[in-house]
């Protein structure tokens, strides 16, 4: 039983103890004939409330779920998110195929308003700059050199980045993608924040021992968010108010789903299990389903229901992470270990997170990377 359940049980038992043993409602038999029913009813209420609270707030990796009926067949169509194939040095996004110019990094951070994909230019050692790969295959830089950690605004019209002023000091800047003009900035400070994501609440950043900070560039307001056990990783969908944070709680690794409120972080669902690895959260665009990549499981944020994804091998759980195409379908690489000659054995699957059914899309996915839509 968790601390939350224990406290809830103790509170309800204390309240039940205040009910007189001979209490009865109007129209009932005389108290002497029903003296035990109020206490029994209160005890039953305790059990019901504790069970409901446990099922709605916290789930464990040891919980089991009844089998689900099969859902509609998972489509085998081509992935509708950007990805690159190293042997071709090209970005594939639906029917678009764009050659990646020399010096541009092969990883992208999402489509931008007006066309193109957010990426990085890395022409040499120690040289790096944020920019946009255009549909014509050219690369347009944004912001100053020695900048990275780029994150798109929810409307995909602005980009936040971290500019290194030195090896130990820098500042967060925001630029308009169309004009390239700077529109906001934070004062320079020591250390590099982890640029976690940008949603309706603002730009989420991890500042080490200082914890979580959410900054709203439009107003300049900045607030610290307290999340017990937070250990640095997050999934922040731009269009949803719900986020998922990784945490260590009572020696367990956990995914904490919740939303930012006036009084702080409101926990909606927590899913914990034992394991040494840090979890890298993945959350659907609608904020309804979080992914536990280590266990190949999809957890419904509202109900806590766990769906096991029917994959032949372990999900790829390091960067780049599995990626949602929409609220129902997840794209993931599988880690099949090493084959002959040490060659990695990877395959690409599309999984329905509501049924757990998965469809093989690419049998030999070595060199293929998934990218943020």
């Amino acid at each position: 039983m968790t601390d939350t359940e224990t406290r809830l049980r103790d509170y309800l038992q204390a309240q039940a103890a205040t009910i007189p043993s001979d209490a009865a409602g109007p129209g009932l038999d005389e108290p002497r004939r029903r003296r035990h029913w109020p206490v029994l009813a209160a005890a039953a209420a305790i059990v019901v409330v504790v069970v409901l609270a446990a099922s709605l707030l916290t789930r464990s990796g040891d919980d089991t779920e009844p089998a689900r009926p099969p859902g509609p067949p998972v489509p085998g169509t081509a992935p509708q998110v950007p990805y690159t194939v190293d042997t071709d040095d090209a970005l594939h996004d639906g029917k678009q195929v764009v050659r990646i110019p020399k010096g541009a990094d092969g990883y992208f951070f999402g489509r931008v308003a007006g066309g193109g994909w957010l990426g990085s230019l890395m022409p040499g050692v120690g040289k790096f700059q944020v920019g946009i790969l255009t549909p014509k295959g050219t690369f347009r830089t944004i912001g100053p050199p020695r900048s990275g950690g780029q994150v798109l605004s929810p409307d995909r019209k602005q980009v936040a980045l971290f500019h290194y002023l030195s090896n130990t000091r820098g500042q967060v800047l925001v630029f308009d993608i169309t004009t390239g003009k700077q529109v906001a900035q934070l004062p320079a400070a020591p250390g590099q924040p982890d640029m976690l994501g940008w949603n309706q609440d603002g730009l989420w950043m991890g500042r080490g021992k200082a914890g979580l900070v959410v900054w709203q560039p439009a107003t300049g307001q900045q607030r610290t968010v307290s999340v017990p056990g937070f250990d640095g990783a997050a999934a922040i969908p731009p269009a949803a108010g719900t986020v998922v944070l990784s945490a260590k709680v009572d020696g367990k690794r956990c995914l904490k789903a919740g939303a930012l409120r006036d009084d702080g972080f409101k926990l909606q669902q927590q899913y914990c299990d034992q394991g040494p690895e840090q979890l890298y959260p993945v959350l659907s665009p609608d904020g309804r389903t979080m992914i536990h990549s280590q266990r190949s499981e999809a957890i419904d944020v509202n109900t806590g229901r766990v769906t096991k994804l029917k994959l032949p091998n372990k999900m790829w759980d390091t960067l780049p992470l599995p990626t949602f195409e929409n609220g129902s379908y997840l794209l993931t690489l599988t880690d099949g270990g090493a084959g002959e000659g040490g060659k990695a054995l990877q395959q690409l699957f599309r999984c329905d997170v509501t049924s757990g059914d998965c469809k093989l899309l690419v049998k030999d996915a070595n060199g293929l990377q998934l990218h943020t839509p």
Side-chain angles (χ1 to χ4, degrees), residues 11 67-68 95 98 100 108-111 151 192 221 246 272 338 343 354:
Y11 170 78
R68 287 189 174 190
K95 295 182 179 180
V98 180
I100 301 172
F108 296 89
F109 300 85
R111 305 181 186 102
V151 177
Q192 177 189 356
Q221 293 182 343
S246 65
C272 301
K343 183 180 180 181
T354 61

Side-chain angles (χ1 to χ4, degrees), residues 139-153:
F139 199 89
R140 176 171 63 91
T141 59
I142 293 179
R146 290 183 58 80
S147 298
Q150 56 267 45
V151 177
L152 278 174
S153 63

Side-chain angles (χ1 to χ4, degrees), residues 148-235:
Q150 56 267 45
V151 177
L152 278 174
S153 63
D155 62 6
R156 301 176 183 260
K157 295 181 179 180
Q158 296 180 340
V159 58
L161 52 84
F162 180 76
H163 176 216
Y164 288 86
L165 298 174
S166 69
N167 290 336
T168 60
R169 188 176 180 83
Q171 63 185 142
V172 179
L173 308 174
V174 179
F175 290 85
D176 180 271
I177 290 176
T178 301
T179 65
K181 293 182 178 179
Q182 181 179 313
V183 296
Q185 70 177 50
L186 281 174
Q192 177 189 356
D194 293 324
M195 310 281 276
L196 300 174
W198 193 345
N199 67 358
Q200 60 192 21
D201 299 309
L203 178 64
W204 293 66
M205 296 176 284
R207 288 207 173 259
K209 293 182 179 180
L212 271 172
V213 173
V214 180
W215 173 46
Q216 185 57 256
T219 63
Q221 293 182 343
Q222 189 175 181
R223 61 183 295 191
T224 300
V225 180
S226 176
V227 180
F230 173 66
D231 63 357

Side-chain angles (χ1 to χ4, degrees), residues 113-125:
W117 302 266
L118 179 64
S120 300
L121 186 66
M122 305 180 71
V125 178

Side-chain angles (χ1 to χ4, degrees), residues 30-290:
E30 294 183 12
R32 58 184 174 84
R33 299 175 58 184
R34 301 180 61 90
R35 61 182 301 164
H36 298 297
W37 284 107
V39 176
L40 293 176
I46 292 170
V47 174
V48 171
V49 173
V50 169
V51 170
L52 286 175
S55 63
L56 292 177
L57 181 61
T58 303
R59 296 305 298 267
S60 166
D62 298 327
D63 294 343
T64 58
E65 295 283 348
R68 287 189 174 190
V74 178
T77 54
Q80 296 300 303
V81 302
Y83 63 95
T84 60
V85 178
D86 292 345
T87 55
D88 293 337
D89 288 327
L91 179 144
H92 299 248
D93 188 358
K95 295 182 179 180
Q96 287 183 294
V97 180
V98 180
R99 186 73 58 184
I100 301 172
K102 186 177 181 180
D105 183 53
Y107 187 80
F108 296 89
F109 300 85
R111 305 181 186 102
V112 302
W117 302 266
L118 179 64
S120 300
L121 186 66
M122 305 180 71
V125 178
K127 297 180 179 180
F128 48 95
Q129 190 170 6
V130 175
I132 306 298
L133 173 66
T134 71
K136 295 182 179 180
T138 59
F139 199 89
R140 176 171 63 91
T141 59
I142 293 179
R146 290 183 58 80
S147 298
Q150 56 267 45
V151 177
L152 278 174
S153 63
D155 62 6
R156 301 176 183 260
K157 295 181 179 180
Q158 296 180 340
V159 58
L161 52 84
F162 180 76
H163 176 216
Y164 288 86
L165 298 174
S166 69
N167 290 336
T168 60
R169 188 176 180 83
Q171 63 185 142
V172 179
L173 308 174
V174 179
F175 290 85
D176 180 271
I177 290 176
T178 301
T179 65
K181 293 182 178 179
Q182 181 179 313
V183 296
Q185 70 177 50
L186 281 174
Q192 177 189 356
D194 293 324
M195 310 281 276
L196 300 174
W198 193 345
N199 67 358
Q200 60 192 21
D201 299 309
L203 178 64
W204 293 66
M205 296 176 284
R207 288 207 173 259
K209 293 182 179 180
L212 271 172
V213 173
V214 180
W215 173 46
Q216 185 57 256
T219 63
Q221 293 182 343
Q222 189 175 181
R223 61 183 295 191
T224 300
V225 180
S226 176
V227 180
F230 173 66
D231 63 357
I236 319 286
T242 303
V243 304
V244 173
L245 309 173
S246 65
K248 291 288 186 180
V249 179
D250 297 330
K252 294 184 177 182
R253 58 183 184 182
C254 299
L255 296 174
K256 288 175 174 274
L260 191 59
R261 298 289 184 257
D262 291 340
D263 57 350
F265 183 75
K266 178 69 172 178
L267 183 65
Q268 295 173 315
Q269 193 66 241
Q270 178 171 284
Y271 183 80
C272 301
D273 76 333
Q274 297 284 357
E277 303 90 347
Q278 182 186 20
L279 297 179
Y280 293 96
V282 177
L283 184 62
S284 60
D286 56 16
R288 295 181 178 179
T289 308
M290 56 184 176

